[in-house]
Amino acid sequence: MAKCHHHNVGSLVLDHSPTSSAAASGAGNFRLWTAFSAASFRRKIFDAVSCGGSSRYGHHDLDDVADDISSTDTAVSAKSALAPSPALAASSEGATSASSEQRCGKSAVRSVKSERLSDLLSIAEVESEAETKKKVEALEELKRAVKELQLEDEEEKRKEAARQVRLLAKEDSGARVTLAMLGAIPPLVGMLDFEDADSQIASLYSLLNLGIGNDENKAAIVKAGAVHKMLTIISSPNAPNPSVSEAIVANFLGLSALDSNKPIIGASGAIPFLLGTLKDSDHKTSPQAKQDALRALYNLSIDPSNVTFILETDMVQYLLNVVGDMEVSERILSILSNVVSTPEGRKEISSAKDAFPILVDVLNWTDSPGCQEKASYILMVMAHKSYGDRQAMIEAGVVFSLLELTLLGSALAQKRASRILECLRIDKGKQVSEHYGGNLGPAVSAPICGTSSSSAQVDNDTNECLLEVEGMMSEEKKAVKQLVQQSLQNNMRRIAKRANLPQDFAPSEHFKALTASSTSKSLPF
């Protein structure tokens, strides 16, 4: 009997053949028949060979087919006169062929996927090896550069190594970390003692690049004494090379970005040097260096301890004088906003020449909302802290500018303008109360002299005070009314422009009546 394998579906069947010969023999007997013909076995051999070694069943299929062929040959030689049912054989052959084709297809898909996965793994392995090799080469290059920096008596090699470090650290954050760990910062700081300007420039820009985006390196550079050495170069009897000065300014800008470095740089004496660079009295400083100096001064002004060093110079007056330069106005006002946070700073600004007229003028810069916000902040702090400053603001015409700002300014500027107006309104209320209580109160409650002349004098003083207050309020109301009408007219022009109406479009009498009768109840004043 043939063996039953996983490929041999129904290899044996019981076939009952009620033929006439069986009837003649007097008994209906059952015979054991194989389900496969010689053609089906040949088909199995072809399928197994076509699937090849890619199928996990390949070797087993070939063995099973060989066994089936041997068993079939034996059965055919023994019973050559008998043949299986043609329908059964055809059905069995079809089922076997379909099953074999399905297995072959799945095996082919698995083979393709396996080959692709193998290719991907091979590519990844090659890339990993190339990446590792590249990293090793880069590390060796960094080590060589740092080793050359540490050569004591080879100034040219150290200069060239500093230039190499500058290039390596320019755009690679990982190289900055590695170079610092390898010890590149101390020898670079030591190169600032060289008298050669090229060596100083190479060292300064290498230190600048090492500190980009790396607070640890910024702190390490200051700790290594770079600030003191840079100021030594500046204060030398011989005027430093302009390129060296610009590199020093750039380093102060980078190092001052770290909070822990701000008080160290401020106390070192760098502020007068930066202010001198900003003033550019000899006209030798580049625009970029002036921008860097202004930004470095802003960084230093953030720390309150540096305000004292700022006030030792004439920086406040100078900044107020140049605040009209639109390119740097916002940065200048930012510095003044930091200075006004201390009592000494407020006093310095208050005593500066034309400080309030200049700041009030900034409130009218409708094309620069950032400057309006910062100027309103400075005025708000000073108005909140000092009565004398509030009076100086009123004399400078701040009320009208604040009213306009509450209508046309940004949300933050409107809020700050409203607070300033509130402070000024409280002052007016106090003035009326003091004047009224100082004259009218004693005369009514306990008059010393009950003559009619004294009562008439009190009434006259009271009426004069009230008329004065009404006059001030009427002027403010007129200003508010004018601003409201102007705002409404501007809005009407915008609406007409959107509707593609002619530019000389004239509003109706009804609209004019509305603008004329509008109130300012929504205003904070």
Side-chain angles (χ1 to χ4, degrees), residues 13 77 80 122 132 155 185 245 267 275 312 329 337 372 376 393 398 408 417 451 481 491 494 513-514:
V13 297
S77 63
S80 59
S122 300
T132 302
E155 184 173 340
I185 292 177
S245 298
L275 180 60
E312 292 175 357
S329 293
S337 298
Q372 287 181 323
S376 61
M393 292 178 197
V398 73
L408 306 177
T451 61
K481 184 177 181 180
N491 291 336
R494 295 191 188 99
L514 287 176

Side-chain angles (χ1 to χ4, degrees), residues 96-208:
T96 303
S97 176
S99 176
S100 177
E101 291 177 358
Q102 185 178 6
R103 288 196 303 273
C104 184
K106 292 181 178 179
S107 176
V109 172
R110 286 195 296 269
S111 177
V112 171
K113 290 183 178 180
S114 298
E115 290 175 359
R116 290 179 179 175
L117 179 60
S118 177
D119 293 341
L120 291 174
L121 291 175
S122 300
I123 293 173
E125 185 177 356
V126 172
E127 291 180 351
S128 178
E129 292 177 358
E131 189 71 19
T132 302
K133 184 178 179 181
K134 185 178 179 181
K135 289 181 179 179
V136 170
E137 292 176 353
L139 180 60
E140 292 298 326
E141 185 179 11
L142 297 177
K143 287 182 178 179
R144 285 195 300 270
V146 174
K147 185 176 180 180
E148 291 178 359
L149 279 176
Q150 296 172 346
L151 297 176
E152 294 292 338
D153 301 327
E154 299 289 342
E155 184 173 340
E156 289 298 325
K157 287 187 176 180
R158 293 183 68 178
K159 185 194 304 183
E160 188 62 32
R163 292 171 179 166
Q164 185 69 13
V165 169
R166 175 185 177 181
L167 294 176
L168 293 172
K170 185 175 182 180
E171 297 179 354
D172 190 349
S173 58
R176 297 173 198 140
V177 176
T178 305
L179 286 168
M181 293 176 63
L182 292 173
I185 292 177
L188 286 172
V189 173
M191 289 180 64
L192 296 177
D193 294 329
F194 293 174
E195 296 182 358
D196 181 19
D198 292 337
S199 298
Q200 293 174 348
I201 291 173
S203 173
L204 287 168
Y205 282 111
S206 296
L207 293 171
L208 178 65

Side-chain angles (χ1 to χ4, degrees), residues 55 130 156 197 356-357 379 430 474 476:
S55 174
E156 289 298 325
F356 292 109
L379 292 172
K430 288 182 178 179
S474 62
E476 293 166 358

Side-chain angles (χ1 to χ4, degrees), residues 17-29 31 82:
S17 180
T19 60
S20 59
S21 60
S25 63
N29 54 348
R31 289 184 176 85
L82 300 176

Side-chain angles (χ1 to χ4, degrees), residues 312-455:
E312 292 175 357
T313 66
D314 60 343
M315 184 188 299
V316 171
Q317 186 64 62
Y318 173 77
L319 294 179
L320 287 170
N321 293 338
V322 299
V323 76
D325 187 353
M326 296 300 295
E327 293 184 0
V328 296
S329 293
E330 190 165 354
R331 187 75 64 181
I332 290 173
L333 292 169
S334 298
I335 297 175
L336 295 176
S337 298
N338 293 329
V339 172
V340 80
S341 62
T342 64
E344 297 82 4
R346 291 191 292 273
K347 184 177 180 181
E348 182 72 15
I349 295 175
S350 178
S351 61
K353 182 180 179 182
D354 296 330
F356 292 109
I358 292 172
L359 294 173
V360 170
D361 181 63
V362 176
L363 296 179
N364 300 321
W365 295 357
T366 56
D367 57 341
S368 181
C371 292
Q372 287 181 323
E373 292 171 358
K374 292 175 175 59
S376 61
Y377 173 78
I378 297 170
L379 292 172
M380 181 183 68
V381 174
M382 298 188 72
H384 179 69
K385 296 293 184 179
S386 172
Y387 171 78
D389 291 340
R390 292 194 289 272
Q391 296 303 309
M393 292 178 197
I394 294 174
E395 293 175 1
V398 73
V399 174
F400 185 85
S401 298
L402 292 174
L403 291 172
E404 184 176 3
L405 198 60
T406 57
L407 290 174
L408 306 177
S410 65
L412 183 58
Q414 289 179 2
K415 184 177 180 180
R416 290 172 176 173
S418 300
R419 291 185 177 180
I420 299 173
L421 289 171
E422 184 68 21
C423 291
L424 300 180
R425 189 179 70 173
I426 292 174
D427 276 350
K428 292 176 184 176
K430 288 182 178 179
Q431 290 175 358
V432 173
S433 176
E434 290 175 359
H435 188 85
Y436 182 82
N439 295 279
L440 182 61
V444 173
S445 59
I448 297 176
C449 298
T451 61
S452 59
S453 60
S454 62
S455 299

